[in-house]
Amino acid sequence: MSEEPDPSGKETFTRTKLDPALLRPSGALLGAHIAVAAAIDEHAVAVTGHDPTTLDLLTRLALTEGNQLRAVELCRQLRLSPSHVSRMLDRAEAAGLVRREPDPDDRRAHQIAVTPHGWEVIDQFAPLLTAVLKEVVHGALAEDEIETLVALLGKIEQAAGDYPNHQAEPEV
């Protein structure tokens, strides 16, 4: 931090210096995320008339073996609070997209399963999402670059998940 005069000349204040080299990777990551999400929203999500979180929920269920998950696992995957996931499930259930079924391994828990109407939505959304991803990601990167990107993003995700446990002291 450094002391710099106020532009009005009346007082000094402390201004934190940002390191552009340190921010460059996260800026690139966030920029790519925003651009890809915007393309998906415009060309796949909007067409279905459903919100992106509901489509994310349905996609995760469709990709899971047995096409169902416990709510606690959805919280973990989505990185959302149980109350947020519960509200999301309530909306999806009210729309007839998912149903709660008793968990055979834990009578206190429920499995979330896709309904026939939910599968209709997935059948509408999946080809639109696939088209965007083929053009935007697979059209821009070679297969080996995609594998490298996935591995690198996995490392960043792991480090972010471990962050509170391995927090370094901030430089002053």
Side-chain angles (χ1 to χ4, degrees):
M1 290 196 260
S2 65
E3 296 289 323
E4 294 188 15
D6 183 282
S8 67
K10 296 181 183 175
E11 60 183 274
T12 60
F13 61 96
T14 302
R15 177 176 284 164
T16 300
K17 297 289 184 185
L18 296 173
D19 182 352
L22 188 63
L23 296 174
R24 188 171 161 253
S26 62
L29 178 64
L30 290 172
H33 169 75
I34 290 166
V36 171
I40 291 169
D41 283 349
E42 181 179 346
H43 301 286
V45 172
V47 177
T48 70
H50 293 280
D51 67 271
T53 57
T54 299
L55 293 169
D56 188 17
L57 167 68
L58 291 173
T59 300
R60 288 173 189 278
L61 291 170
L63 292 172
T64 302
E65 188 176 328
N67 306 119
Q68 55 186 19
L69 287 170
R70 290 178 64 190
V72 68
E73 178 59 19
L74 286 168
C75 292
R76 189 191 66 72
Q77 285 188 20
L78 297 168
R79 297 186 185 267
L80 296 171
S81 70
S83 62
H84 189 128
V85 170
S86 180
R87 287 190 302 274
M88 185 172 62
L89 291 173
D90 288 345
R91 286 192 306 272
E93 191 172 33
L97 302 172
V98 299
R99 67 179 172 272
R100 290 175 170 99
E101 298 177 345
D103 187 326
D105 299 325
D106 183 349
R107 62 185 171 147
R108 298 167 297 164
H110 288 89
Q111 294 274 348
I112 310 306
V114 181
T115 64
H117 179 54
W119 282 110
E120 290 172 7
V121 172
I122 292 167
D123 290 343
Q124 178 191 21
F125 177 63
L128 301 168
L129 175 63
T130 299
V132 172
L133 295 177
K134 278 183 177 178
E135 180 72 25
V136 172
V137 178
H138 294 264
L141 300 174
E143 197 58 41
D144 64 323
E145 291 173 317
I146 291 171
E147 293 306 314
T148 299
L149 176 64
V150 169
L152 293 172
L153 291 174
K155 287 174 119 176
I156 292 171
E157 181 180 13
Q158 181 66 48
D162 292 345
Y163 176 68
N165 301 325
H166 295 43
Q167 186 172 352
E169 291 296 318
E171 293 181 23
V172 180

